[in-house]
Amino acid sequence: MGAMAEARYDRSFPPDIQPARDAARLELRASDADRDHTAAVLGNALATGRLTTTEHAERLDAAYTATTLGELALLTRDLPADDATGTGLGAVDRAEVAARFSKVIRSGRWVAGRHTRLTAHFGALIINLADAVLPGREITLDIDAWCGKLIVTIPAGAHVIDEGGALFAKRAIYGRQQSDDADGPVIRLVGDARFSKVAVYRGRYDPRTGLAGSALSRPRPRGRDLIQGDRRRHPGVQRLRTVGHRDAHKQIARGGHHP
């Protein structure tokens, strides 16, 4: 009876049906939960020494840009299937960078958290997200600035949503958003800045040169520079001449004006 049932099973489901189902499943679109599971596997592989920091960053970046399950499977095919714990997921879920009475720079290939807290108390904090691994399409930056300076560099095509507050502080976003990049990451700013400066730059920002080459870096003309500029644009404008005190009195006495 068991053999007959097995025979009927074999006739109903050909031997190659399972590989076909697996291949079809790999073509399915990946969800956020699938990407998070892959990130957990990669995070635990980093903690156990199976991946280097560079390999982990590259694979994690590829995981959060993957669109199908097959692309995710390629990232963990050389890792144990059960090598997934909560530590890897927690590493990309929350992160914190703080500068207290100091200057801290975080740049290069580093892994940001989905919810990253940035603290600047009586210090300067420079964060570069242009080359960082962003775990997901939307990143929330929780700002806590008190008598400090916070500079954040984001990808050129990022969308910025500023929902934070300011008390005797300055919050500014520099650089135009690229209209043709609709799939860019979303950077959401929350938190408060008190007696501080918070500046967000799109693209590249070098703290050593600031906004070199941009319109904001050009010095504003003043005084004599304005006069010289008018003379170059309008040749009819005469150069202003200074007159000594005695010469002025002589001209007034003669009823004339200094040429």
Side-chain angles (χ1 to χ4, degrees), residues 159-175:
H159 306 265
V160 181
I161 303 176
D162 192 356
E163 299 176 342
L167 176 64
F168 293 101
K170 177 181 180 181
R171 299 175 71 114
I173 301 173
Y174 301 99

Side-chain angles (χ1 to χ4, degrees), residues 7 37-38 47 52 60 66 79 94 96 144 165 232 242 246 248 253:
H37 177 76
T38 302
T52 64
L60 189 63
L79 300 175
R94 289 186 174 273
E96 182 176 2
D144 180 15
R232 286 191 295 267
T242 58
R246 292 182 179 180

Side-chain angles (χ1 to χ4, degrees), residues 22-44:
D22 293 340
R25 183 179 182 278
L26 294 178
E27 296 178 357
L28 295 177
R29 304 281 293 191
S31 64
D32 290 338
D34 297 325
R35 298 184 185 94
D36 289 340
H37 177 76
T38 302
V41 175
L42 297 175
N44 196 66

Side-chain angles (χ1 to χ4, degrees), residues 159-190:
H159 306 265
V160 181
I161 303 176
D162 192 356
E163 299 176 342
L167 176 64
F168 293 101
K170 177 181 180 181
R171 299 175 71 114
I173 301 173
Y174 301 99
R176 291 185 178 182
Q177 178 181 335
Q178 297 179 357
S179 58
D180 57 344
D181 193 356
D183 295 331
V186 178
I187 308 297
R188 187 180 301 273
L189 304 178
V190 299

Side-chain angles (χ1 to χ4, degrees), residues 8 100 103 111 145 176 206 240 244 254 259:
R8 287 197 300 268
R100 296 179 176 88
K103 180 179 181 180
V111 181
R176 291 185 178 182
D206 189 351
L240 296 181
R254 291 197 298 265

Side-chain angles (χ1 to χ4, degrees), residues 90-236:
V92 298
D93 187 41
R94 289 186 174 273
E96 182 176 2
V97 186
R100 296 179 176 88
F101 297 95
S102 59
K103 180 179 181 180
V104 176
I105 301 176
R106 179 67 60 88
S107 62
R109 201 67 170 166
W110 65 287
V111 181
R114 230 190 228 104
H115 187 101
T116 301
R117 183 172 180 82
L118 304 178
T119 303
H121 289 181
F122 297 95
L125 180 59
I126 301 176
I127 300 295
N128 187 354
L129 296 176
D131 298 325
V133 178
L134 304 181
R137 187 174 181 271
E138 181 172 335
I139 303 297
T140 300
L141 301 180
D142 188 0
I143 295 174
D144 180 15
W146 173 261
C147 297
K149 182 178 182 181
L150 176 60
I151 298 176
V152 181
T153 305
I154 61 177
H159 306 265
V160 181
I161 303 176
D162 192 356
E163 299 176 342
L167 176 64
F168 293 101
K170 177 181 180 181
R171 299 175 71 114
I173 301 173
Y174 301 99
R176 291 185 178 182
Q177 178 181 335
Q178 297 179 357
S179 58
D180 57 344
D181 193 356
D183 295 331
V186 178
I187 308 297
R188 187 180 301 273
L189 304 178
V190 299
D192 297 324
R194 293 154 292 180
F195 303 96
S196 303
K197 176 183 178 181
V198 177
V200 179
Y201 298 94
R202 284 190 177 90
R204 301 290 178 180
Y205 172 78
D206 189 351
R208 297 170 297 180
T209 59
L211 292 173
S214 66
L216 295 177
S217 65
R218 299 170 189 151
R220 298 179 58 184
R222 61 183 66 184
R224 187 173 180 178
D225 295 333
L226 287 174
I227 299 174
Q228 295 293 341
D230 289 338
R231 292 183 69 251
R232 286 191 295 267
R233 290 190 298 267
H234 307 286

Side-chain angles (χ1 to χ4, degrees), residues 54-71:
T54 303
E55 292 173 335
H56 173 257
E58 293 176 351
R59 295 196 186 193
L60 189 63
D61 190 17
Y64 281 106
T65 57
T67 57
T68 64
L69 296 178
E71 295 176 0

